[in-house]
Amino acid sequence: MATSQWRLIASICFMALAGLSAKVVGAETDKPPFYQVQWQGKSAYLLGSIHIGRADFYPLPTQIETALGKAKGLVVEVDINKVDSTALLQQYGRADKTKGLDWQSRDKQTVESMTPYCAATANVCQSIQSFAPWLQATQVNLLRYNDLGYSTDYGVDMQLMARYATLPVYPLETAESQFQLLASFNSQEQWSMVREAISASDAELLSLITAWRSGNETELDSIMQEQMGGEGDTKMLEKILWQRNHVMADGIIKLMGSTDVTSPLFVVVGAGHVVGDKSVVQLLEQAGAKVSACWKQTCQ
């Protein structure tokens, strides 16, 4: 199974902001990555999420819903209710000719890839021409998921923030830091994201969702790791995933150690952050926290 750079971005970043007959299990039998964290007498629940979904994701499995009912605060990547997306898009999401990010600067390989796609979806290509390539890739990605019956409206973080709007919200990052990160990749890397967004198969799109719903953490980790062997890809993993894992783990520890924050907390971050040997889970354990996998034992 091939894994694309844009899939990595879409699955773990804030922006990532039923067409097939594939069998999908009900939410009650789902087992997404879910943990309990204990640190200095305080506790938190940690859920690895995806930022797209559909109605049959909800309600979440009983053990997760029970934990949500106990939560005294919601910890998220970004507090979406405090984001000025218009200003951020204007600053980081526009095509920049001086950096080779405008439509006319597309390389031959990208033009060849986009030509048949744009012939079939002229309205889409017309609407994204003024965007930076990373944002074009994100939009194509979201549109393809929409065609398969999935939407950011049913993303786990979006749903939880809407359902538990009375809880205090503690962001681990800022939207601007995520926009800056995506905009920091060079033109070659960004146009590669666009090509991958167009060429990936529907099966590849759905594999991430299947792995998440089934709780297959090995597969989730593979999705993040495959085709990341080159120098550029390793840099992308380092910047998008591993460096942010440190920010998130440090933020969780800080919140749990604060006398101003009541536990238990419910933490929801992209699933890519909680799997693998450089994950938030591993970093929390290295910091001295006790982390328990809730599907292997019933968390308190």
Side-chain angles (χ1 to χ4, degrees):
M1 179 188 63
T3 300
S4 309
Q5 293 174 348
W6 66 264
R7 290 181 64 208
L8 176 64
I9 292 171
S11 63
I12 66 179
C13 285
F14 168 73
M15 280 302 298
L17 327 114
L20 296 185
S21 58
K23 182 180 180 181
V24 181
V25 296
E28 186 54 43
T29 57
D30 289 352
K31 291 186 177 181
F34 184 49
Y35 305 87
Q36 185 174 33
V37 182
Q38 294 172 309
W39 167 257
Q40 295 185 347
K42 290 191 176 183
S43 65
Y45 301 98
L46 173 61
L47 175 64
S49 75
I50 52 178
H51 303 308
I52 55 164
R54 65 186 193 190
D56 69 353
F57 281 23
Y58 308 98
L60 294 165
T62 300
Q63 190 170 182
I64 297 176
E65 292 287 350
T66 299
L68 281 163
K70 299 176 182 178
K72 303 301 182 182
L74 190 62
V75 183
V76 295
E77 291 182 26
V78 171
D79 185 349
I80 57 177
N81 295 319
K82 297 181 179 179
V83 175
D84 185 349
S85 58
T86 300
L88 290 174
L89 287 170
Q90 184 65 34
Q91 183 172 358
Y92 299 106
R94 311 303 295 180
D96 186 341
K97 184 176 182 179
T98 64
K99 296 180 180 179
L101 302 177
D102 64 313
W103 197 257
Q104 289 71 31
S105 298
R106 292 175 298 165
D107 57 272
K108 181 179 179 181
Q109 187 179 2
T110 300
V111 172
E112 290 176 351
S113 176
M114 296 191 76
T115 297
Y117 175 79
C118 290
T121 58
N123 58 327
V124 172
C125 290
Q126 181 65 33
S127 67
I128 65 175
Q129 285 189 28
S130 62
F131 297 163
W134 72 262
L135 185 54
Q136 293 182 33
T138 302
Q139 293 300 306
V140 171
N141 169 41
L142 293 179
L143 288 169
R144 293 196 61 193
Y145 269 118
N146 287 341
D147 288 342
L148 294 172
Y150 296 88
S151 168
T152 54
D153 291 340
Y154 287 106
V156 177
D157 45 357
M158 293 279 286
Q159 286 286 310
L160 295 189
M161 290 190 71
R163 288 172 52 194
Y164 296 91
T166 59
L167 289 178
V169 175
Y170 305 101
L172 296 171
E173 299 180 301
T174 65
E176 183 166 15
S177 70
Q178 293 188 346
F179 276 69
Q180 284 178 329
L181 173 61
L182 292 169
S184 71
F185 292 103
N186 63 38
S187 60
Q188 182 179 2
E189 292 164 333
Q190 290 197 37
W191 287 120
S192 176
M193 295 175 197
V194 176
R195 295 195 301 271
E196 294 284 1
I198 291 170
S199 64
S201 69
D202 289 347
E204 287 182 276
L205 291 174
L206 293 173
S207 65
L208 173 68
I209 296 171
T210 300
W212 180 79
R213 298 195 79 167
S214 65
N216 190 334
E217 295 190 18
T218 300
E219 179 65 13
L220 281 169
D221 188 36
S222 294
I223 288 174
M224 300 303 159
Q225 297 288 342
E226 288 178 6
Q227 292 192 353
M228 296 293 153
E231 180 179 352
D233 290 338
T234 301
K235 182 183 72 173
M236 186 170 286
L237 267 174
E238 180 72 35
K239 291 177 67 174
I240 292 181
L241 197 63
W242 298 331
Q243 290 180 10
R244 294 175 64 219
N245 287 351
H246 284 275
V247 173
M248 292 180 183
D250 291 346
I252 293 168
I253 289 293
K254 183 177 180 180
L255 286 169
M256 294 184 72
S258 173
T259 57
D260 297 326
V261 177
T262 305
S263 71
L265 295 169
F266 194 97
V267 184
V268 54
V269 298
H273 292 291
V274 302
V275 297
D277 60 7
K278 296 184 179 182
S279 67
V280 169
V281 170
Q282 298 296 320
L283 294 172
L284 289 172
E285 290 181 333
Q286 291 171 20
K290 178 183 177 182
V291 185
S292 304
C294 293
W295 301 122
K296 296 179 179 179
Q297 62 187 75
T298 301
C299 294
Q300 301 299 316

